Amino acid sequence: MSASHPDYRLSQLDQLEAESIHVFREVAAEFEKPVLMFSGGKDSIVMLRLAEKAFFPAKIPFPVLQVDTGYDFPEVLECRDEWVARLGLRLVVASVEEAIASGVVVDDGRTTRNRMQIGTLLHAIEEEGFTAAFGGGRRDEEKARAKERVYSHRDEFGQWDPKNQRPELWSLYNGRIHSGEHMRIFPLSNWTELDIWHYIDREQIFIPSIYFSHQRRVFERDGMLLTESEHNPLRAGETAEERTVRFRTVGDLTLTGCVESTASTTTEIIDEIAVARLTERGATRGDDRFSEAAMEDRKKEGYF
Amino acid sequence: MDLLRFATAGSVDDGKSTLIGRLLLDSKAIFEDQLAAVEATSQSKGYDYTDLALLTDGLRSEREQGITIDVAYRYFATPSRKFIIADTPGHVQYTRNMVTGASTADLGLVLVDARHGLSEQSRRHAVLLSLLRVPHLVLAVNKMDLVDYSQERFDEIKREFSAFATKLTIPDLAVIPISALKGDNVVTRSEAMPWYDGSSLLHHLENVHVASDRDLRDARFPVQYVVRPKSDDHHDYRGYAGQVAGGVFKPGDEVVVLPSGMTAKIAGIDLFDREVDEAFPPMSVTIRLDDELDVSRGDLIARPNNQPQVTQDIDAMVAWMSTTPLRPRQRLLVKHTTRTVKALVKELDYRLDVNTLHRDQETGELGVNEIGRVRLRTQQPLLVDPYSRNRTTGAFILIDEATGVTVGAGMIND
């Protein structure tokens, strides 16, 4: 036994990293046309970092796909562009507004942009002929996700069948699909929110500034703090005021709430999360609040 | 901080969900909004208690039927360790889910009800954990509060289980008396059972030694992907990417590439942008060789004096997972490490009764959730070790070529 690793133990972050890198390489080797779904949020940035490591010194051998709701935070789009430029990647943007304009999805005035992403995404996957799409979903986020496989099969309608999933044993992933089907791949399945932050901290990973404490004009709706914006007009009785906040997740800005926080470094965020008493989705995501099975239903339809 | 994966088995009646709920609650892995949702649902169902099983039963059909169908993964951490729980259903019709959860587990946790003692189900769980070579087993004797914390009752169950376990391969066994509902011996030692001098369940989980369970003797590196940047900066770079499946690799080591049998020396081992002085399981690295050999995905790098078997004849225990039975003469795909090949089922030696360990040699097929000894002939050679020696190079999955579905899991015999 060598002196440097007297007991050959890996830290939990090193082990998670090694397992995720294994998944990236497996997919690149077995799928004809993979794509990485990149929102510009922290989880998809960690995915990109792991992909960078998996193929280094070669470039990441697949493009990235972003679903642009038209309601994205500008800081997130800036961060996205910087990552894409640094790694020299091809960026495919699937725009919800274009999808509405061309009739791919219908804006009936009641459906949220978040929900309209599903049709937009499936259309882009079909148009480009992607056979595998990496997503940043984690099993600790929500209990329907707790049962999802790392390789999650989608039929030709892009649907997930939770009752009929393929068994997934050891690290032997089964990537067989038929023409027209695709696989969603979740390399971060076993990471928790804290693992993500510890990794961002350790690797000094560049993420959008809105994850850190800043001043912002916000208003309260349904117990959430939402950002003041032209896309999100104030309703009767609502007033906006400036507060010191940060975001725990980033999505459609009309639905993504922030939390009051003075945490301005990754270390301070880790301390804050360690004592947090609400899940990141429960605290800040209007889209998960509608019912007990909100996530399961959206996932079946083809959500990330 | 390191990582422990454990699989739990047992039915709702054994109090498994209550136990997991308690571990998550006490380690603060459950948040207020999750607890509030569970409390609200419990209330709307008219229960007079908070049904912690609702925390883990994530699919709508499971909540409707009140049973756990699928493997659910749960996460919690204490200051010393991160834990991943593969929470599996206990019923016989979900054996395949239990096999799935156990395949990656370092430790298996089997629950029994102190009032009823060992059931057919708990015996089956122990057999499956043993078959999957899960190196550590904990038998948690639950509901001790309902037997007046009786040492006699506990000893009786422990004796009965130990006798049964001699027929199995269980390198490390701990038997712990608990009450998941009352919290006895779950996180802290119980004052109600002064006669018990072992550790609490959580203390045991935090301290069980798992690093040495990995195969550090047999150097095995299945090549997953060939890295060739062909860029100006790295014009001549050619690296073999993969995850170490066994042993320790170091720069300068003489290695053999299988199945070709060509030898070379390791020129360097890369982990992203830095070179490392050794690689061991489960590290994902890129190995460079000092010679330009023809190496591709599906090949395996080993040591010249310690090689896996190169064979087209596979003798394995197979857990069958499809409702269409396995039969001799059937054609399947085998995925073993990074190699996928066609295979023919040559023989079905016997079906193993996982309750009694009886070997039924008369059987002509393996049904869903059944386990049997199978001989396969593959179209190309595989590079294998016995599963008892290496859980990576000794394991494979079976895929139905027409449907693409995973229909079985195999463990190669010694």
Side-chain angles (χ1 to χ4, degrees), chain B residues 114 141 144 147-159 175 177 192-197:
Chain B
V141 181
M144 286 300 292
V147 295
D148 297 327
Y149 299 106
S150 157
Q151 179 178 11
E152 243 172 84
R153 181 66 186 135
F154 173 73
D155 286 343
E156 197 182 336
I157 294 170
K158 186 177 172 175
R159 263 198 310 277
V175 189
M193 290 174 274
W195 46 265
Y196 172 71
D197 57 7

Side-chain angles (χ1 to χ4, degrees), chain A residues 75-245:
Chain A
E75 295 89 340
V76 174
L77 298 179
E78 272 164 40
C79 184
R80 171 198 78 184
D81 292 342
E82 203 165 317
W83 269 94
V84 167
R86 184 174 74 75
L87 296 176
L89 300 174
R90 181 166 81 94
L91 171 69
V92 181
V93 177
S95 153
V96 173
E97 294 194 339
E98 278 172 31
I100 294 169
S102 63
V104 170
V105 296
V106 178
D107 186 3
D108 58 7
R110 285 172 313 197
T111 311
T112 65
R113 287 280 165 115
N114 180 293
R115 196 117 194 155
M116 287 190 283
Q117 284 183 84
I118 299 173
T120 310
L121 170 70
L122 292 178
H123 181 70
I125 288 175
E126 200 180 305
E127 284 278 286
E128 294 265 346
F130 292 125
T131 53
F134 293 100
R138 309 188 317 265
R139 289 181 182 142
D140 78 324
E141 282 181 87
E142 208 278 334
K143 60 186 171 181
R145 279 197 165 152
K147 309 226 161 172
E148 187 149 18
R149 307 291 189 253
V150 175
Y151 275 37
S152 187
H153 181 261
R154 299 301 146 105
D155 64 19
E156 64 264 54
F157 303 101
Q159 312 266 304
W160 179 51
D161 182 1
K163 278 209 255 184
N164 204 9
Q165 300 190 82
R166 293 177 181 178
E168 198 161 78
L169 298 106
W170 299 289
S171 51
L172 289 169
Y173 299 106
N174 174 1
R176 307 283 296 189
I177 51 167
H178 292 108
S179 163
E181 300 175 345
H182 73 279
M183 200 71 90
R184 293 291 170 85
I185 314 282
F186 297 103
L188 303 180
S189 287
N190 289 321
W191 296 58
T192 61
E193 186 188 11
L194 258 181
D195 292 327
I196 295 286
W197 280 109
H198 279 294
Y199 195 70
I200 289 169
D201 183 55
R202 183 180 93 171
E203 305 273 314
Q204 296 292 299
I205 294 175
F206 172 57
I207 56 171
S209 57
I210 62 173
Y211 280 111
F212 301 100
S213 177
H214 59 284
Q215 299 294 312
R216 177 176 290 268
R217 286 187 61 79
V218 294
F219 63 94
E220 262 183 64
R221 179 178 293 167
D222 304 330
M224 286 194 303
L225 282 183
L226 296 177
T227 198
E228 188 184 43
S229 147
E230 51 173 325
H231 302 306
N232 216 11
L234 292 178
R235 295 175 189 161
E238 291 173 341
T239 48
E241 58 176 330
E242 190 163 285
R243 300 227 202 145
T244 306
V245 297

Side-chain angles (χ1 to χ4, degrees), chain B residues 74-111:
Chain B
R74 301 279 146 204
Y75 304 83
F76 70 99
T78 65
S80 58
R81 223 168 220 179
K82 170 176 169 159
F83 297 93
I84 301 180
I85 312 177
D87 180 16
T88 66
H91 301 286
V92 67
Q93 65 267 39
Y94 303 116
T95 297
R96 63 176 191 168
N97 303 81
M98 164 121 200
V99 168
T100 301
S103 70
T104 52
D106 303 302
L107 180 144
L109 175 63
V110 175
L111 262 97

Side-chain angles (χ1 to χ4, degrees), chain A residues 1-30 49 52-61 86 138-149 151 153 160 162-178 181 188-195 198 202-203 248 273-283 291-294 296-297 300, chain B residues 1-3 5 28-34 37-38 41 54-63 65 68-76 81-82 84 96-97 99-101 103-104 132 209 211-212 214 216 224-225 227-229 231 234 237 241-243 248 250 270-273 277-278 280-286 297 321 333 335-338 340 387 391-392 395-411:
Chain A
M1 301 253 164
S2 114
S4 55
H5 290 284
D7 55 1
Y8 293 104
R9 277 161 77 161
L10 286 187
S11 74
Q12 119 267 14
L13 279 187
D14 286 332
Q15 190 166 337
L16 290 172
E17 179 188 72
E19 290 170 3
S20 298
I21 286 174
H22 173 83
V23 172
F24 276 110
R25 290 169 173 169
E26 207 55 20
V27 171
E30 289 201 321
R49 174 66 167 182
E52 181 187 8
K53 289 195 176 194
F55 305 104
F56 190 86
K59 275 207 317 201
I60 294 174
R86 184 174 74 75
R138 309 188 317 265
R139 289 181 182 142
D140 78 324
E141 282 181 87
E142 208 278 334
K143 60 186 171 181
R145 279 197 165 152
K147 309 226 161 172
E148 187 149 18
R149 307 291 189 253
Y151 275 37
H153 181 261
W160 179 51
K163 278 209 255 184
N164 204 9
Q165 300 190 82
R166 293 177 181 178
E168 198 161 78
L169 298 106
W170 299 289
S171 51
L172 289 169
Y173 299 106
N174 174 1
R176 307 283 296 189
I177 51 167
H178 292 108
E181 300 175 345
L188 303 180
S189 287
N190 289 321
W191 296 58
T192 61
E193 186 188 11
L194 258 181
D195 292 327
H198 279 294
R202 183 180 93 171
E203 305 273 314
R248 280 177 78 183
I273 295 168
V275 296
R277 298 310 306 138
L278 290 178
T279 60
E280 58 185 1
R281 284 194 166 264
S291 83
E292 165 99 344
E296 184 181 340
D297 291 342
K300 280 186 191 165
Chain B
M1 186 152 92
D2 68 352
L3 182 61
R5 284 185 154 89
K28 302 192 169 51
I30 287 176
F31 295 94
E32 280 171 10
D33 51 329
Q34 290 172 306
V38 166
T41 310
L54 294 168
L55 281 170
T56 51
D57 294 340
L59 302 176
R60 182 179 294 201
S61 50
E62 293 179 323
R63 287 193 296 277
Q65 296 172 44
T68 311
I69 297 171
D70 209 333
V71 187
Y73 294 89
R74 301 279 146 204
Y75 304 83
F76 70 99
R81 223 168 220 179
K82 170 176 169 159
I84 301 180
R96 63 176 191 168
N97 303 81
V99 168
T100 301
S103 70
T104 52
L132 271 292
H209 188 64
S212 55
R214 299 211 171 90
L216 294 170
Q224 216 188 341
Y225 190 88
V227 179
R228 292 217 64 185
S231 63
H234 305 277
Y237 188 96
Q243 190 169 18
V248 182
K250 293 185 172 123
D270 298 329
L271 187 68
F272 185 39
D273 56 358
D277 55 11
E278 57 185 354
F280 52 89
M283 287 169 73
S284 279
V285 295
T286 303
R297 175 175 166 86
M321 303 180 162
L333 288 176
K335 184 169 182 184
H336 170 264
T337 65
T338 55
T340 303
Y387 185 75
R391 283 172 86 187
T392 305
F396 59 85
I397 56 170
L398 295 167
I399 299 168
D400 181 307
E401 204 172 359
T403 62
V405 171
T406 305
V407 290
M411 291 145 283

